[in-house]
Amino acid sequence: KELKKLAREGYWAASRALRAQVYHQLIQQVACRLVTPDALVYRDVTNRLFGKLSVSSHPLPEFLEGCSMPTYCLNLEGVTALKKILICVGNLFPDITYSPILPSLVALLLHYSEDEAQCFENISRLIASNAPHTSYIDQSFLAHQASCMTFGDLANKHCPAAHKLIASTSENVFEVYSEWLSWLFHDLPFNYAIRVFDVYLLEGQKVLYRIALALLKQYRLSVTSAELEGTDIKADLQAFMQNIAEHVTVDKLLERAFGIRLFSRKEIWLLQMANRKALMERGITMVQSSNGSPPSPRQSFHLAVDMQNFSSSIVTAQEMRIIWSWIPERFSLFPPLLLFSTSEDGCSLQRFYACCEGYEPTVLLIKTTEGEVCGAFLSSDWSERKKNGATSGFFGTGECFVFTVKPETERYEWVFIKKPELAKAVPRSRQRSPSPSPASLLSSSPDSCSTSSNHLTVPTPQRKGRLSPFLAIRHFLLPSKTASMFMSGSREGIIIGGGGGQALSLDANLLWGHTEHCETFDNPPLCQENFKVQLLEVWGFQ
């Protein structure tokens, strides 16, 4: 704790010798694989590889193809050492296939190393780190893309204003977020980047997410959507990072970064694993382009929406584009598929279930007879409702959210995203599902028969084997069970969002609905409180 405090406050920024000593000692304590090459190995390999030849006669490793090479004020000798170290890393770590962040880390570390052999030994330890639920350096295209998707998910949650701005001005949101590591270790000036490096060595990759989120929030404060009309937002962000000193001091930036309440390192790691799994399912595991620029895995749904073949009777392509930008990255890799619509399939709840079962997640869209449009992103398969037997229980995860499109575009997420301090992470020995709730939300009168078949229960843990991302209920001790009622279905109708009210409820004929504030999403009514459905659609993921 003391070391973290010193790093965050920039204690060893005043002395180069002190920082060099701290870096070496910190890295020597990183848990890593048993056989990790050290300074002696480096000297042997460089003698064998280079002998009397100059470094320029050796090509850089393939994993750096298309990656930029920041030198951070290194002189000519330093740049030569940087290239030698990278060539040796390529030689001794043949498993590295893609690692755009590596040149920057080596360049920064070289400034604070006794010699290039010590720098090589230390970077090798970071590459070979095997500490649980943490990583320092992504070493494959798959891992890098999963990190970019994870950053996209976190930006979506923690920087909603910036995210909305980027989604409305950029053709491809993912492409913008895939630059996030370059903001930190390429675009930021040296005196900012080295302070980021201080905390990164102590706290691992999670700290990089924090700082990039703080930069994104700062960017949002400095621009207006009118200014961004027609500009290249990627280039604009890059210029902002390069000129960061005009906007915020490094101390203030770090202070803001550590003020962001992220979930635990383990939860973020779980999300990263889920993103990785989705990329593998899509067959996106390596750099596929020959021109050196890595392709984006999100072969932009935003572009797909603009094509003629996207057709909804409720939302325009531009509106769907905004909704799609709110969806977790691992799902929005997949194109949308219309599963059910009242205009095609009729107003039948049984038909609704039959068409939607087997799909997870889904997006529900409702247009009222007054022309208002609202809906919900539902993370779980509707067939989960059958698991509670006679009782109709709540199920779903904290990735569910409700939203409005017309007259205003707004999203309302699980209350614990905005207020993570309300939930404490569950110690491993105490992980359990919340006990059933006595509320009988579907029955017409508040105090009628709690033993009826309408009795509702709170979510139970999800089926084994599924990667549970960072918002699965079982990871939290929730002070109020009513704040995690996501979705429920029975023969009488469906409910989305519970606790003190229902965010959305629809009757068995999918004709009449009701909306009000609920504890789960802390939302206002999504449209007129009692409404008549004009059209209802459910979209799945192909």
Side-chain angles (χ1 to χ4, degrees):
K1 273 189 176 171
E2 255 179 83
L3 267 178
K4 277 185 183 178
K5 187 171 181 291
L6 293 175
R8 290 177 184 191
E9 291 172 359
Y11 179 74
W12 45 78
S15 157
R16 188 188 168 280
L18 177 63
R19 186 180 254 149
Q21 205 181 339
V22 170
Y23 280 7
H24 187 62
Q25 290 194 18
L26 282 178
I27 295 173
Q28 289 300 310
Q29 286 169 30
V30 169
C32 59
R33 297 194 290 267
L34 198 59
V35 184
T36 298
D38 58 12
L40 283 171
V41 171
Y42 177 78
R43 292 191 182 97
D44 282 352
V45 172
T46 48
N47 284 336
R48 183 165 52 79
L49 277 181
F50 305 112
K52 290 183 177 130
L53 292 172
S54 77
V55 174
S56 56
S57 61
H58 281 263
L60 285 170
E62 261 179 50
F63 67 76
L64 292 176
E65 192 189 328
C67 302
S68 57
M69 188 77 69
T71 53
Y72 288 118
C73 324
L74 289 171
N75 60 22
L76 203 56
E77 198 184 332
V79 173
T80 304
L82 168 64
K83 288 179 178 169
K84 278 170 76 175
I85 292 167
L86 290 169
I87 290 165
C88 285
V89 166
N91 199 270
L92 290 162
F93 292 93
D95 292 347
I96 301 179
T97 53
Y98 188 75
S99 189
I101 191 181
L102 201 54
S104 299
L105 300 183
V106 175
L108 289 169
L109 201 49
L110 254 175
H111 280 281
Y112 298 93
S113 300
E114 279 177 17
D115 55 21
E116 60 193 67
Q118 188 195 61
C119 180
F120 170 82
E121 177 173 322
N122 284 337
I123 204 75
S124 295
R125 291 187 71 83
L126 294 181
I127 291 169
S129 158
N130 57 8
H133 303 141
T134 188
S135 71
Y136 286 96
I137 302 170
D138 291 330
Q139 294 164 45
S140 68
F141 185 65
L142 180 66
H144 173 72
Q145 293 294 62
S147 296
C148 294
M149 286 169 70
T150 303
F151 178 72
D153 284 325
L154 295 172
N156 193 348
K157 305 278 178 224
H158 294 280
C159 309
H163 184 77
K164 196 171 176 180
L165 183 73
I166 291 169
S168 60
T169 52
S170 170
E171 276 295 300
N172 189 335
V173 182
F174 181 81
E175 221 167 76
V176 175
Y177 289 146
S178 63
E179 300 291 315
W180 79 282
L181 277 168
S182 296
W183 300 343
L184 302 174
F185 291 128
H186 181 271
D187 303 335
L188 285 183
F190 178 82
N191 57 330
Y192 281 69
I194 201 69
R195 288 285 300 277
V196 174
F197 197 71
D198 288 348
V199 289
Y200 161 73
L201 279 187
L202 260 176
E203 304 184 49
Q205 197 175 34
K206 180 181 172 181
V207 89
L208 301 184
Y209 287 129
R210 281 185 186 285
I211 297 164
L213 290 170
L215 284 165
L216 197 57
K217 281 175 180 277
Q218 189 65 41
Y219 173 72
R220 177 66 191 91
L221 293 174
S222 75
V223 294
T224 64
S225 38
E227 286 172 350
L228 282 178
E229 280 302 315
T231 57
D232 175 354
I233 200 160
K234 266 170 73 173
D236 203 51
L237 270 158
Q238 185 177 24
F240 174 81
M241 304 304 165
Q242 289 165 348
N243 301 306
I244 189 68
E246 295 170 14
H247 302 278
V248 65
T249 65
V250 68
D251 287 304
K252 198 75 193 153
L253 176 68
L254 291 177
E255 187 187 311
R256 286 178 186 164
F258 289 107
I260 297 171
R261 296 293 302 266
L262 283 188
F263 290 103
S264 72
R265 185 182 290 176
K266 182 185 176 187
E267 300 294 336
I268 290 173
W269 180 79
L270 283 167
L271 180 65
Q272 196 139 345
M273 291 300 103
N275 283 334
R276 212 171 161 145
K277 189 175 170 219
L279 284 165
M280 289 168 82
E281 283 170 8
R282 288 286 279 163
I284 298 165
T285 55
M286 56 180 66
V287 183
Q288 290 144 339
S289 70
S290 55
N291 65 1
S293 63
S296 154
R298 197 165 181 165
Q299 250 69 43
S300 176
F301 171 73
H302 302 25
L303 297 177
V305 174
D306 293 338
M307 292 178 185
Q308 296 303 303
N309 60 8
F310 174 76
S311 167
S312 160
S313 306
I314 298 180
V315 291
T316 63
Q318 178 61 22
E319 287 163 345
M320 191 60 151
R321 186 168 155 171
I322 297 290
I323 296 166
W324 220 249
S325 77
W326 290 332
I327 290 166
E329 292 281 356
R330 65 187 185 283
F331 300 126
S332 52
L333 286 174
F334 300 89
L337 179 68
L338 185 63
L339 303 178
F340 174 86
S341 93
T342 48
S343 59
E344 299 281 318
D345 302 292
C347 297
S348 154
L349 186 59
Q350 291 318 307
R351 183 96 182 105
F352 168 94
Y353 288 140
C355 291
C356 299
E357 281 176 18
Y359 287 91
E360 179 180 282
T362 54
V363 175
L364 173 75
L365 296 173
I366 295 167
K367 183 177 185 178
T368 72
T369 50
E370 298 295 312
E372 294 170 297
V373 175
C374 59
F377 171 76
L378 303 167
S379 64
S380 298
D381 188 332
W382 278 106
S383 63
E384 299 250 336
R385 74 187 193 287
K386 298 172 182 171
K387 294 188 176 170
N388 295 301
T391 63
S392 44
F394 273 100
F395 52 97
T397 73
E399 287 191 308
C400 293
F401 60 83
V402 292
F403 57 84
T404 59
V405 178
K406 280 179 188 154
E408 294 292 320
T409 309
E410 203 53 69
R411 166 181 55 159
Y412 303 97
E413 297 181 281
W414 186 31
V415 66
F416 290 109
I417 291 173
K418 293 282 177 283
K419 302 171 186 169
E421 65 279 3
L422 296 178
K424 296 183 292 232
V426 181
R428 186 165 295 204
S429 60
R430 293 182 61 189
Q431 288 196 7
R432 55 182 172 75
S433 69
S435 54
S437 144
S440 172
L441 298 180
L442 271 169
S443 52
S444 51
S445 79
D447 48 11
S448 69
C449 50
S450 62
T451 54
S452 79
S453 64
N454 291 336
H455 184 71
L456 283 164
T457 57
V458 161
T460 52
Q462 296 184 305
R463 53 181 173 269
K464 276 185 181 163
R466 183 190 299 166
L467 270 171
S468 106
F470 68 117
L471 296 178
I473 300 307
R474 60 167 166 236
H475 294 301
F476 297 94
L477 277 172
L478 303 177
S480 154
K481 306 218 170 57
T482 55
S484 51
M485 295 173 151
F486 300 110
M487 51 192 289
S488 169
S490 68
R491 273 175 292 191
E492 283 81 31
I494 62 172
I495 291 176
I496 294 153
Q502 296 155 18
L504 268 178
S505 57
L506 292 167
D507 69 0
N509 299 316
L510 303 180
L511 203 57
W512 291 98
H514 181 73
T515 175
E516 60 194 339
H517 170 267
C518 79
E519 288 175 31
T520 299
F521 299 119
D522 193 20
N523 59 287
L526 302 175
C527 57
Q528 224 172 10
E529 289 202 13
N530 294 301
F531 61 87
K532 190 176 182 184
V533 176
Q534 183 183 329
L535 278 169
L536 182 148
E537 290 177 351
V538 181
W539 290 82
F541 298 77
Q542 221 158 308

